[in-house]
Every structure is written in structure tokens, then in C-alpha cells.
Amino acid sequence: MHLGVDTVCPTPQIVSPSSYVTFLVQISGLGAMETNGSVMSLKDEEKTRLSSVSNETSTRYGSIADSLPTDEPSTAEITVLSPRRSYITVAVLCYVNLINYMDRYTIAGVLLSIQKFFDITDSTSGLLQTVFICSFIILAPIFGYLGDRYNRKFIMIGGLSVWVVMTLSSSFVTESYFWLLVLLRALVGTGEASYSTIAPTIIGDLFSGAKRTVMISAFYIFIPVGSGLGYIIGSSVANATGDWRWALRLNPILGSLGLLLLAVLCPNPPRGASDGHGGSTIEHTSYLEDVKYLLKNKSFVWSSLGVTAMAFLTGALAFWTPIFLSRAQVAQGIQPPCNTEPCDTSDSYIFGVVTVVTGILGVSLGSTISRKLRDRVPNADPLICAVGMLSSAPCFFAAIVLASTSIPATYVFIGIGETLLSLNWAVLADILLYVVVPTRRATAEALQIMVCHLLGDAGSPYLLGSISDALRTYQPDSHTWSFRSLEYSFLLCPFVGVLGGLFFLMTALYITKDRKNADHLQSNCFTCMIPSSSCLCVPDRKPFHV
């Protein structure tokens, strides 16, 4: 067969005669792969044949490595995961993702009671979400670096253990120690930083193609579902017990179960396994080199800016909408103001139900449209995200304006806007997985998380609260003006949504090229137009015949 030059080789490696003989044997007898969409792995005997190649050759930055990092199990030690085991793993990851987002928005579901309990303003209330996201930002790059190099299962278990302890501890804070609640909420970000950074990369290594899209959709559908359940359960538990702190105690119990399932049922698949390399992918490089690679990836950069705008929008709406709707009803005279806790949390409950329903509908619709259009329209995914963002902006604007006159109409437009926004969740994750090579995916997830939260939902709850407090000083004793001040601060969100849509349109211009580059880098090595685990680089870099 003829092996042609199609990529630019780094400095060639001199191949010994014994390695060349091994190469001939290798390319004529590659181990069988599973082709049903779950993890593919080389047979043990193939690893024996490959070992002499990897022992006598060394790879350079940007090359395809025949040997795994020392912290990874060798191919001979890797057991091929059955489809059933892969599906069970996704189910466990989805459950933990559900609990994570339930906990994140339980605070928002009982925020009225927390404000009364600690006697705090809107801007101070926003700090509870801001410090949580800030710790998330600081820790995500660290976990991303570790996730690309060490055992991902153990990293997630460690982070989630801290999350369970900190969440439970925050429920025992007394009214004189609000600063302690803020500190504990910051530490809760440890668990989410470890999990949110790593879990999608495990799914990406378990499945490929259309099945990966479906599994990623299943994982990300629990973001809106978990968020909605956070409002619902927080509101329900607080009303049933008469104490908002009990709402924070349920999640650690459920999280402990998730921790156990993760330890028992979740594997650590070889990186890049689903891409057909059986764990042999691009050699691990320095963190600085990984960052440089990602910054040159235009699809990654523009989509990360789009995710940032989306995070700003969803973070502000998720945190403040229940209070906004409550104040709207007070301004209309529908319900009395809350003077003592427990406050009426019915708006949190209704908003939670709307979030769950629209989240399931939006994520399912977005992934379905993506699967149907992807083969015909190469840049369909970022276009779906752009349409979702640009279409949701006028819906949210209408909801904000109508809140002073019609609460039902407000809920209708919130529902439509959330459905359109939810089109993006699974699609965004899939974009990152196919424009970034496997050994840099955790780093890419971490950087995207850091940027989108730093410039997005880390500041948006606090920013809107600060604007509301500043406007409220003009008529501090007026319930109507209390509503209006928050309404005016909310008007910033639709404009950010439009900006996010434009970022996704820019992504659409580059995604086809960047996806081909990532596929090409995974599938080819040096001068060899064959899978990376079978590559050798010859001294003269010329095509050769076998």
C-alpha cells in the first residue's frame, strides 16, 4: 500500500530495523475494535507488538504518542467496556449532574427567606452566587490540568466529597455569621469545578458520532432539570419545615449516594478511546502549550465567548427571577410583602416547574435538530446556538416589560425564552468535544468554564443586585419602586443575549475547518495516513511503500 505525506512532520525519529519489522506486523494485524458506539480498545496481544515501537522511539510536541502517560493504565490493562457498562456510567454521571445543579439553585429558591433571616440587601444576596462561581473559576483550570493527566474518577470523587461536607455545613450557619455562609458557598464550588470539568470528557471517551451527541444531550438535559428541581425542592422543603436551612440538607444526602455510585460504577476510560485510537492519542504536553493550542482554535474562542454571554444571561435570570416575580405581584397588589420568614416561595416553585419542562423540551429539540442537520449543514451546531440566543432575547425582554401588568403572560414568555436558550446546552458541549483533541479536552472545558463564569454568571447576579440597590435609594420605602428597580436592572440581560448570538455566528465561520483539523490530528501521524497507533516516522519524510 502507499503511504503519502499529508501532514507536516516534526523532526523525524530514526527507526531501528527491529521496530520497522514490528511496524509491518502491526499494520497487517490491528486488533479489532468495537463499532457499536461504546469504548474501543486494542487487544492485549496487539499491545505486546506495539511495545517495542514505543520503547525505541520518542515523540515530540504535537506528535501522536504510541505510549500512554505513566498515570494511565496500559492498553493491556484496559478492559473493553460493554455498551451496557457505558450507559450505566452515563446514568451515574447524569445523576450527579442533577444533584449539582439542584444544590446550585436551592439557594435561589429560598432567597426571600435568606434575605429576611440575615437582613441583607439585593447586592449582598448576589454575593452568595458570586463567591460560589468565583471559586469555580479559580479551581476549574486546576482540575482541567489534572483531568488531562491523572485518573479522572479519583479527581471527581475527591471534589464531590468536599462538596458534600461544605453543603451540609452551610445549613447550620446562624444569623450572626452570614460571612461564614458566604465562605462555605465558595468552598462548595470545589465539587462542581472537579465534576463539571471532567465528566463531559469521560462521556466523550465512551461514545462517538451520533451516540455521543445523544449521551451528551442526556447529560446536559439535567442542567435545566436540576436547576428547576432546586427551586421546587428548596421551596417545598422550606414550606414543609418552616426553616429554609432544611432545604440545604437534602442535597448532601442525595450527593452521598451519587458519590457511592461514582466510586463503584464509573470507570476511567482511556483518553481518545471513542475516536478509534484505543487510548493512543496526542502526547501530553505542557499546560502553556495546551493553552496556546486552544487560543489558536477560533471555534473554541468564539464559542467560549458565546457561552459567556449565555452564562451571564442564565445566571442573572436564574438567581433573580423568583424574587422579581414576587415583587411584581406585590406591586400589583396580588400578594402582601414578606415582612417575616418563612416567606411565600410559590413563585420559586412555579418557576422551577417551568424551568424543568422547558429544559427537557429545549435540550431534546436542540440535539434532534443538530443530528438531522449536521450531515447536510457542516456548521449547523453554532447556527442552532445563534438562533437560540437571538430568538430568546426578545422573549425575555417581553417577559420583563409585561411583569408589571400580567404575571401569566410573563410566565409564557419566560417559558418560550428558556426553551430557545436550552437548545444550546448539549450542542455547545458537542462543539467543544469535536474541535479539540482528546488530551486537551479537560483543559478546554476548564478554560471555557473559567472564562464564561468569570465574565458571565460570577458577576451578573451581583451586578443586577447592585444596580437594583442603587436605583432603589430614590424611593427606599416603596414596594412598587422595589419592583421597578429590579426590573430596570433586568433589562441588561436581553442585550447580552443578542451579543451572545453574534458570537455564535462568528463560530459558524470557522467550525468546519477547526473540526477537520482536530480529526486530522487524531487520525494521522507524521507521514503516515493510518491510525496513530500504527505510525512510524521515517528519516527522509518521504512517502514509502509497504
Side-chain angles (χ1 to χ4, degrees):
M1 68 181 168
H2 180 268
L3 301 175
V5 178
D6 195 55
T7 57
V8 178
C9 282
T11 303
Q13 310 294 329
I14 303 300
V15 181
S16 66
S18 62
S19 296
Y20 188 76
V21 172
T22 304
F23 168 66
L24 297 179
V25 175
Q26 178 187 334
I27 62 174
S28 62
L30 288 178
M33 301 280 189
E34 284 195 30
T35 58
N36 56 6
S38 60
V39 167
M40 295 180 287
S41 181
L42 296 174
K43 291 182 179 179
D44 293 352
E45 53 268 26
E46 181 190 341
K47 177 62 180 181
T48 303
R49 295 198 299 270
L50 291 175
S51 61
S52 63
V53 180
S54 59
N55 288 337
E56 296 186 36
T57 61
S58 61
T59 50
R60 297 170 63 87
Y61 167 64
S63 67
I64 305 292
D66 290 321
S67 59
L68 293 168
T70 55
D71 58 289
E72 286 280 338
S74 67
T75 309
E77 296 171 338
I78 296 170
T79 303
V80 175
L81 294 181
S82 65
R84 181 173 177 271
R85 178 75 186 279
S86 298
Y87 293 137
I88 290 174
T89 300
V90 173
V92 172
L93 295 177
C94 288
Y95 172 76
V96 179
N97 200 36
L98 174 74
I99 304 304
N100 265 332
Y101 277 87
M102 280 175 55
D103 176 71
R104 181 184 291 195
Y105 291 105
T106 296
I107 287 283
V110 293
L111 189 58
L112 270 175
S113 296
I114 291 176
Q115 284 186 321
K116 292 301 175 183
F117 184 80
F118 290 105
D119 191 24
I120 53 178
T121 62
D122 287 348
S123 57
T124 305
S125 301
L127 280 176
L128 289 172
Q129 190 74 351
T130 296
V131 296
F132 167 80
I133 298 298
C134 284
S135 69
F136 199 66
I137 292 168
I138 294 170
L139 294 170
I142 298 174
F143 285 115
Y145 176 86
L146 297 175
D148 274 338
R149 289 159 177 81
Y150 302 102
N151 190 298
R152 291 173 288 184
K153 175 179 176 178
F154 295 156
I155 295 171
M156 289 192 296
I157 289 174
L160 288 172
S161 299
V162 174
W163 170 78
V164 168
V165 173
M166 294 301 105
T167 302
L168 183 62
S169 300
S170 66
S171 68
F172 294 99
V173 176
T174 60
E175 61 187 51
S176 302
Y177 294 92
F178 177 73
W179 63 269
L180 182 57
L181 177 63
V182 172
L183 176 62
L184 291 172
R185 287 303 295 174
L187 295 176
V188 166
T190 303
E192 286 212 33
S194 66
Y195 185 79
S196 299
T197 302
I198 295 173
T201 69
I202 291 180
I203 298 176
D205 289 334
L206 291 172
F207 297 92
S208 61
K211 283 193 175 181
R212 176 189 286 173
T213 301
V214 173
M215 293 300 108
I216 287 292
S217 300
F219 179 79
Y220 277 95
I221 205 170
F222 287 98
I223 291 180
V225 171
S227 302
L229 287 177
Y231 296 109
I232 294 170
I233 293 177
S235 172
S236 300
V237 173
N239 286 337
T241 60
D243 187 348
W244 61 269
R245 288 172 293 189
W246 279 103
L248 301 182
R249 293 168 186 165
L250 177 63
N251 292 327
I253 297 172
L254 300 175
S256 299
L257 175 60
L259 198 57
L260 178 63
L261 294 174
L262 195 65
V264 174
L265 300 176
C266 184
N268 181 41
R271 294 168 180 84
S274 66
D275 297 300
H277 307 309
S280 290
T281 53
I282 295 174
E283 182 188 6
H284 289 288
T285 50
S286 71
Y287 187 75
L288 181 59
E289 288 170 325
D290 291 350
V291 173
K292 288 180 179 178
Y293 161 81
L294 293 171
L295 292 178
K296 292 178 182 178
N297 189 321
K298 292 183 174 62
S299 296
F300 173 77
V301 172
W302 285 111
S303 64
S304 295
L305 292 174
V307 175
T308 300
M310 184 175 172
F312 184 99
L313 178 60
T314 56
L317 291 173
F319 194 79
W320 288 114
T321 296
I323 285 187
F324 174 69
L325 293 172
S326 176
R327 290 182 183 178
Q329 293 181 73
V330 171
Q332 294 181 42
I334 298 175
Q335 67 180 34
C338 176
N339 296 317
T340 57
E341 61 153 335
C343 299
D344 183 7
T345 57
S346 58
D347 294 297
S348 296
Y349 187 93
I350 298 171
F351 181 66
V353 172
V354 171
T355 301
V356 169
V357 174
T358 57
I360 294 174
L361 179 61
V363 172
S364 302
L365 187 61
S367 60
T368 301
I369 296 173
S370 173
R371 290 198 307 273
K372 292 190 177 296
L373 291 182
R374 189 176 294 170
D375 292 337
R376 290 179 291 171
V377 184
N379 59 351
D381 286 350
L383 291 177
I384 291 170
C385 295
V387 170
M389 290 289 286
L390 294 173
S391 301
S392 66
C395 294
F396 289 128
F397 181 83
I400 294 167
V401 172
L402 290 172
S404 60
T405 56
S406 176
I407 297 299
T410 299
Y411 272 119
V412 169
F413 280 103
I414 287 175
I416 297 172
E418 285 194 325
T419 301
L420 292 169
L421 207 57
S422 296
L423 294 175
N424 301 0
W425 286 116
V427 178
L428 286 172
D430 218 14
I431 288 174
L432 186 145
L433 290 174
Y434 62 63
V435 300
V436 177
V437 292
T439 53
R440 288 166 175 152
R441 284 174 182 164
T443 298
E445 289 275 0
L447 286 178
Q448 190 173 87
I449 286 173
M450 182 183 72
V451 172
C452 80
H453 290 307
L454 178 65
L455 303 177
D457 55 350
S460 60
Y462 180 77
L463 177 62
L464 264 64
S466 297
I467 295 173
S468 176
D469 282 346
L471 294 174
R472 196 173 178 180
T473 56
Y474 292 102
Q475 299 182 41
D477 299 324
S478 171
H479 293 298
T480 300
W481 187 245
S482 174
F483 159 71
R484 289 295 183 187
S485 62
L486 189 55
E487 179 188 36
Y488 296 150
S489 65
F490 250 137
L491 291 174
L492 179 63
C493 293
F495 294 102
V496 175
V498 172
L499 188 62
L502 297 178
F503 288 145
F504 285 123
L505 288 177
M506 291 299 297
T507 306
L509 298 178
Y510 300 102
I511 195 163
T512 303
K513 178 183 176 182
D514 289 336
R515 183 173 187 176
K516 287 181 179 178
N517 288 342
D519 289 342
H520 189 74
L521 189 55
Q522 292 176 62
S523 302
N524 299 282
C525 168
F526 304 146
T527 62
C528 305
M529 294 298 294
I530 52 180
S532 59
S533 59
S534 303
C535 280
L536 290 175
C537 192
V538 295
D540 59 1
R541 304 189 187 184
K542 295 178 181 179
F544 61 95
H545 296 271
V546 176

